[in-house]
Amino acid sequence: MSTGRIEFSSKFGIIAATVGSAVGLGNIWRFPYEAGTHGGGAFLICYIFFVFLIGVPTICAEFTMGRAGRIGIPGAYRLGHSSRKWDFIGYGGILAAFLILGFYAVVAGWTFEYILESVTGAFRDTTSEIRHAHFEDFISGWRAVCWTILFLLVNAAVSLGGVQKGIERVSNILMPLLFIILIAFCINSLFMPGFGDGVSFLFHPDFSKLTPDVILSALGQAFFSLSLGMGCLITYASYFSDNTPLVKTAGQIAILDTLVAILAGIIIFPAVFSFGMSPAEGPTLVFEVLPGIFNQMPGGSIWSTLFFILLAVASLTSIISVSEIVVAFLSDEIKISRTTATWVLTAVTIVTSTLCSLSFGPLKSTNLFNIFDYVSSNILMPLGGIGVCLFVGWKMKIEDAIGELHQKTGVPMWLVKIILLIIKYVAPICILTVFLAGLL
Ligand code: PFF
């Protein structure tokens, strides 16, 4: 079926763009500190369980909607019927996209500063108190705002290039680069004195640590990391061709995304143990603890520069995908050009992320950064995930779903039946339970 909608031009491009969306700050910044504060191995096992049991079928559900409708959100929620009753789930996704852009761009901006400081050797011979004071001072000021705006302008430049010449081309270059840097770090990790302790912390599960809180955090992390529940993968799938294998692609994203999270753990924990730091440092683990560690390593400023480039690359390919939700919405539904849509989005996001950034300084009382993060990750994404599953499981015609998952790519029917069963019952119930428990 040709709809005239632009499509990704190659299989590699599809994997690079979708994995690029999934692999981001969630894997390299959030996963290690979540695992670090939630007991390592036990958290990892829960996380992997949720990625494959709930995550992969939910990715299939988003892909099914996106490719069947060849439209982003909320249009995909009108598939097979003409009422606008389901549109609100799509608008929830668009709101989530604005909120994520607001806080994600701030952390992404910090990576630019840390690349610069690594290159100039600013961390050399500093104590942890000095680095802490420096980090606090930096994130609360206007310098952080400038980096955030610069990051958003780079994002706009990619978006203006369009799906093939912007998103796909940039992902094709950056994703292999990201994997090369990751592998270089892993090899370096092998030679650290704390390698054994770090790896055993990550892989040795202590089941006494499995509290409801750990389980909830693992599901939330799985959703955030797979870019699920806000229409990002619906939008990307609207650019897939008829012969893109949906189930296989969903599996590949889950495997590569989990691999990067584990590699990030293998990079960070041995370093943490080698230099006598605590893995339970929290969100500042990457920005305060790692520069201290790099400081003590031979060739530290090179490793440090590489690490923050890795973080910047991962953030960019993810933020592009969040922006695409809004750009596709503005051009599909409001019918404005891609260029205008990109500038509208960039202008609004510059305002919101400036406010988020300043909420570490003069606007501290607003707590905006944390509110944006909390509302998008803990409320809108799980609710959106339930919405996607309910729509595909209960509202969409079963023949259409089977057509996308089975007929177009020949995935065995028994597997499609299991996936649909999970989409219909297991995933919504599981997400709802976690959501309610999380709210309480
Ligand atoms: N998956 C990204 C990460 O792990 O950093 C974050 C993200 C991207 C969330 C795109 C949502 C989204 F739509």
Side-chain angles (χ1 to χ4, degrees):
M1 179 184 66
S2 172
T3 56
R5 189 172 181 79
I6 183 114
E7 289 176 358
F8 287 115
S9 66
S10 69
K11 276 192 196 149
F12 185 80
I14 288 178
I15 293 293
T18 49
V19 174
S21 167
V23 170
L25 291 172
N27 306 61
I28 304 168
W29 168 65
R30 208 164 184 259
F31 174 81
Y33 85 71
E34 286 273 341
T37 46
H38 290 115
F43 178 87
L44 178 65
I45 288 185
C46 281
Y47 174 75
I48 291 180
F49 177 79
F50 285 133
V51 164
F52 289 94
L53 182 80
I54 312 282
V56 172
T58 313
I59 300 177
C60 291
E62 290 212 9
F63 279 177
T64 300
M65 285 175 70
R67 189 175 57 190
R70 308 248 179 211
I71 189 164
I73 51 173
Y77 283 97
R78 274 175 242 134
L79 204 66
H81 67 106
S82 54
S83 90
R84 290 181 168 261
K85 268 195 209 143
W86 290 75
D87 275 22
F88 73 95
I89 306 174
Y91 286 116
I94 290 165
L95 176 62
F98 273 111
L99 298 182
I100 291 195
L101 284 169
F103 76 88
Y104 208 90
V106 172
V107 183
W110 297 347
T111 64
F112 279 179
E113 166 79 9
Y114 274 68
I115 293 175
L116 186 71
E117 296 198 9
S118 305
V119 172
T120 56
F123 304 119
R124 222 169 283 145
D125 304 325
T126 51
T127 61
S128 62
E129 289 76 29
I130 292 180
R131 281 189 303 274
H132 175 71
H134 170 73
F135 180 66
E136 296 280 308
D137 185 48
F138 161 65
I139 63 172
S140 58
W142 283 96
R143 197 175 159 92
V145 173
C146 294
W147 285 123
T148 299
I149 294 176
L150 182 68
F151 203 92
L152 288 170
L153 293 177
V154 174
N155 176 47
V158 178
S159 180
L160 287 174
V163 173
Q164 286 185 358
K165 297 212 172 83
I167 301 173
E168 188 173 349
R169 188 191 281 169
V170 168
S171 309
N172 281 348
I173 300 169
L174 294 187
M175 290 316 286
L177 176 71
L178 182 135
F179 276 92
I180 292 170
I181 302 180
L182 269 175
I183 290 168
F185 265 103
C186 281
I187 296 174
N188 179 55
S189 250
L190 289 177
F191 299 103
M192 292 214 164
F195 181 75
D197 286 343
V199 168
S200 111
F201 174 77
L202 184 62
F203 291 112
H204 189 78
D206 172 1
F207 288 108
S208 67
K209 296 253 166 67
L210 264 195
T211 59
D213 178 44
V214 171
I215 299 174
L216 299 188
S217 315
L219 184 82
Q221 174 62 20
F223 256 65
F224 186 81
S225 192
L226 294 172
S227 310
L228 275 179
M230 45 183 289
C232 178
L233 298 178
I234 297 179
T235 308
Y236 267 15
S238 74
Y239 307 128
F240 286 2
S241 71
D242 268 346
N243 45 30
T244 304
L246 301 190
V247 179
K248 187 173 158 199
T249 308
Q252 284 167 333
I253 296 174
I255 291 172
L256 288 172
D257 188 62
T258 308
L259 182 73
V260 175
I262 292 177
L263 289 182
I266 294 183
I267 292 168
I268 291 171
F269 293 123
V272 165
F273 284 102
S274 299
F275 294 99
M277 310 253 182
S278 159
E281 205 60 45
T284 58
L285 183 68
V286 159
F287 289 96
E288 284 185 39
V289 177
L290 281 188
I293 292 172
F294 292 133
N295 221 352
Q296 303 173 45
M297 278 164 53
S301 39
I302 297 174
W303 288 112
S304 181
T305 310
L306 267 186
F307 181 82
F308 288 107
I309 290 179
L310 174 75
L311 212 52
V313 165
S315 317
L316 183 63
T317 50
S318 294
I319 223 166
I320 295 170
S321 71
V322 187
S323 310
E324 188 58 24
I325 301 174
V326 183
V327 171
F329 159 69
L330 292 175
S331 36
D332 288 344
E333 308 244 351
I334 314 285
K335 310 279 180 221
I336 57 179
S337 73
R338 189 175 180 91
T339 309
T340 316
T342 303
W343 287 121
V344 169
L345 170 75
T346 307
V348 174
T349 321
I350 284 179
V351 174
T352 51
S353 54
T354 299
L355 295 174
C356 271
S357 182
L358 293 177
S359 74
F360 288 102
L363 302 181
K364 202 163 201 129
S365 57
T366 62
N367 203 16
L368 268 187
F369 182 96
N370 292 329
I371 293 176
F372 275 34
D373 182 3
Y374 186 86
V375 174
S376 56
S377 319
N378 294 5
I379 299 181
L380 295 172
M381 289 176 89
L383 286 183
I386 297 174
V388 170
C389 291
L390 292 183
F391 186 82
V392 174
W394 299 88
K395 177 76 186 169
M396 201 173 156
K397 283 201 204 95
I398 182 93
E399 310 85 80
D400 291 345
I402 290 178
E404 292 302 326
L405 294 171
H406 167 65
Q407 280 152 359
K408 285 186 180 165
T409 44
V411 171
M413 199 51 209
W414 62 266
L415 184 58
V416 171
K417 277 191 182 151
I418 295 179
I419 293 173
L420 287 175
L421 201 75
I422 296 177
I423 291 176
K424 210 164 173 174
Y425 302 101
V426 183
I429 294 174
C430 197
I431 304 167
L432 187 68
T433 313
V434 169
F435 174 68
L436 291 179
L439 272 196
L440 295 177

